[in-house]
Amino acid sequence: MNETLEDVTTIFTDFLAKKNLRMTNQRNLILKMFLSTEKHVSSDDLYSLIRKQDNTIGQATVYRTLKLLAEAEIATIVEFGDGVARYEHIYLHQHHDHLICEGCNIHIEVVDDDIERLQVRLAKKYGFTLTSHKMYLYGKCEKCQNISSL
Amino acid sequence: MNETLEDVTTIFTDFLAKKNLRMTNQRNLILKMFLSTEKHVSSDDLYSLIRKQDNTIGQATVYRTLKLLAEAEIATIVEFGDGVARYEHIYLHQHHDHLICEGCNIHIEVVDDDIERLQVRLAKKYGFTLTSHKMYLYGKCEKCQNISSL
DNA sequence: CTTTTTATTGTAAAATCTTATCAATATATT
DNA sequence: AATATATTGATAAGATTTTACAATAAAAAG
C-alpha cells in the first residue's frame, strides 16, 4: 500500500478500459482531488473542493465518478447513518474499523488483528469466504465518560 | 430478552410518559406491527403492512414513531448502504452481526462471543467504554463461491 | 485526415427518502 | 365543561442521488 498518484491513475485507467470506458480530464481531476483528501468525503464535499480548481465541472460527474471509483475498489463507502454517502480511499490508507464516541462524536480508526482473524473463522463456520467487512464500535471516550457521570 | 408484546408496550408507554408524550392508537398499532416483523423493515415496508389494517394512517406517523422507537432503544437502525434506513427490533431478537453474501445477497445473523470480548478490549485500549457496535462481514457463500469459479 | 461511432459531460428534471408545516383532531389537565 | 397540550394526516419542502438528453469529446474506422 504505497502507490503513487500515477500508480492509482493507471489502476483506474485500466479498470475503465476493461469496461470500455475512457479516462477523461474530469475523471482524472476527480481522482486526484479525492486521493488528496484525508478522512471521509461526501460527493458534495468533493464537488466543492473541485469547483475551486475547475468551476465548469458538473455535480453529476462527481457522483458518477465516485461510484466508478468504488467499483474499481479504489474507494469504499462509509456510512454514518445520516443519509449521506461518504467515501474514503484505500491507497495511502490502510484498512481500519471505527471507534466512535457518542458524546463528542470523535472518530478513531482502529485495527485489531485478533478480531480480523476471528472474523475469518466465523465466516468459515458458515461456509463463507470473506472479502471485506465493516465494523463500527460505539461508546464513550474517557472525557465523555466523566462528563456524563456528573 | 423474553418480553411479551404487553411488556414492550409498557416500556414504550413509560418512555413516552417521561418525555411528556402520549401513547396513541397509531403508536400502539405501529409498535405491534413492528414487533410482528422479522428481519429488517424500512419505514416504507412497515407503512405498507400497516395500511392493510388501517388505511387512514399517515406515512409521516410511521417515520415519526420509528424514530421514537429507536430513541427508546426498542428498535435499532441497520444500514445496508442503499440510502434506506431499516429498523429491527431488539425484543424477541438478540443482538447479532451480519454475514452477507455478495453473490446472492443472503443475510445471515451471526454472533461470536470471542469477537464481542475482543471488541471491548480494543475499545478499552483507547479509554472507551462500549455501548454497542455494528459489524458487517461481506463475502461469498458456499454456493456462490462455486458459481464464480466457473 | 475525415467520417462515423461510441462514450462523456453538464444542465436540469425526476426520483427517492425523510423532515417540517399546519390546520384539524384527539388526549390530558384544570 | 373549558382549556391547554400533543398528535395526526396531508402535503409541501428539503436533501441526496439518479436519470434524460442534447452538446461535446474521444476513439475507431475508413
Side-chain angles (χ1 to χ4, degrees):
Chain A
M1 291 285 184
N2 251 327
E3 286 83 358
T4 64
L5 172 57
E6 287 72 38
D7 293 338
V8 184
T9 306
T10 306
I11 291 170
F12 191 39
T13 308
D14 290 352
F15 166 84
L16 291 171
K18 260 182 215 148
K19 307 195 61 165
N20 278 321
L21 304 178
R22 297 163 185 170
M23 175 53 93
T24 62
N25 291 334
Q26 287 91 333
R27 288 181 177 156
N28 216 315
L29 177 60
I30 291 168
L31 173 59
K32 198 176 105 190
M33 290 301 286
F34 177 56
L35 290 178
S36 80
T37 63
E38 276 309 310
K39 304 282 166 188
H40 328 96
V41 285
S42 67
S43 183
D44 199 58
D45 293 339
L46 196 56
Y47 177 58
S48 302
L49 282 172
I50 289 169
R51 282 212 121 193
K52 291 177 190 164
Q53 298 224 352
D54 175 356
N55 68 349
T56 69
I57 216 156
Q59 182 147 23
T61 304
V62 179
Y63 273 102
R64 288 188 277 237
T65 304
L66 276 173
K67 281 202 123 184
L68 286 172
L69 288 170
E71 251 190 85
E73 299 192 315
I74 291 166
T76 46
I77 301 187
V78 196
E79 304 266 348
F80 290 164
D82 59 354
V84 184
R86 266 169 262 265
Y87 293 82
E88 59 183 26
H89 50 85
I90 301 170
Y91 297 99
L92 328 167
H93 217 263
Q94 294 182 309
H95 159 72
H96 55 264
D97 294 305
H98 305 269
L99 181 57
I100 301 165
C101 176
E102 289 169 329
C104 60
N105 260 324
I106 189 178
H107 283 64
I108 299 177
E109 300 183 349
V110 294
V111 188
D112 186 305
D113 288 339
D114 293 333
I115 292 178
E116 308 266 325
R117 249 191 304 279
L118 290 182
Q119 286 171 335
V120 173
R121 189 188 73 179
L122 174 58
K124 199 186 238 171
K125 213 170 97 183
Y126 292 90
F128 274 61
T129 52
L130 269 197
T131 54
S132 68
H133 70 260
K134 293 180 184 167
M135 186 171 82
Y136 301 88
L137 305 178
Y138 300 94
K140 290 243 166 134
C141 73
E142 216 150 10
K143 270 190 210 164
C144 291
Q145 284 170 54
N146 297 329
I147 290 168
S148 59
S149 66
L150 291 180
Chain B
M1 289 285 182
N2 252 329
E3 286 84 358
T4 63
L5 173 57
E6 286 71 38
D7 294 337
V8 184
T9 305
T10 306
I11 291 170
F12 191 38
T13 308
D14 290 351
F15 166 84
L16 291 171
K18 260 183 215 146
K19 305 194 63 164
N20 279 319
L21 304 178
R22 297 163 185 170
M23 176 52 95
T24 63
N25 290 335
Q26 288 91 333
R27 286 182 179 156
N28 217 314
L29 176 60
I30 291 168
L31 173 59
K32 197 177 105 190
M33 290 302 286
F34 177 56
L35 289 178
S36 80
T37 63
E38 277 307 310
K39 305 284 166 186
H40 328 96
V41 286
S42 66
S43 183
D44 199 57
D45 292 340
L46 196 56
Y47 176 59
S48 302
L49 283 173
I50 289 170
R51 283 211 120 194
K52 290 178 189 163
Q53 299 225 352
D54 176 357
N55 68 349
T56 69
I57 214 154
Q59 181 147 27
T61 304
V62 180
Y63 273 103
R64 288 188 278 236
T65 304
L66 277 174
K67 280 202 122 183
L68 286 172
L69 288 171
E71 251 190 87
E73 297 191 316
I74 292 166
T76 46
I77 301 187
V78 197
E79 304 264 348
F80 290 165
D82 59 355
V84 184
R86 264 168 264 263
Y87 293 83
E88 57 183 28
H89 50 85
I90 299 170
Y91 297 99
L92 328 168
H93 217 263
Q94 293 182 310
H95 159 70
H96 55 263
D97 294 306
H98 305 268
L99 180 57
I100 301 165
C101 176
E102 289 169 329
C104 59
N105 261 324
I106 190 179
H107 282 65
I108 299 176
E109 300 184 350
V110 295
V111 188
D112 186 303
D113 289 339
D114 293 333
I115 292 179
E116 308 267 327
R117 248 191 304 279
L118 291 182
Q119 286 171 335
V120 174
R121 189 188 71 177
L122 174 58
K124 199 185 240 174
K125 214 170 95 182
Y126 290 91
F128 275 60
T129 52
L130 269 197
T131 53
S132 67
H133 70 262
K134 293 179 183 166
M135 187 171 81
Y136 303 88
L137 305 178
Y138 301 93
K140 291 243 164 131
C141 72
E142 217 151 8
K143 272 191 207 163
C144 291
Q145 282 170 53
N146 297 329
I147 290 168
S148 60
S149 66
L150 294 179

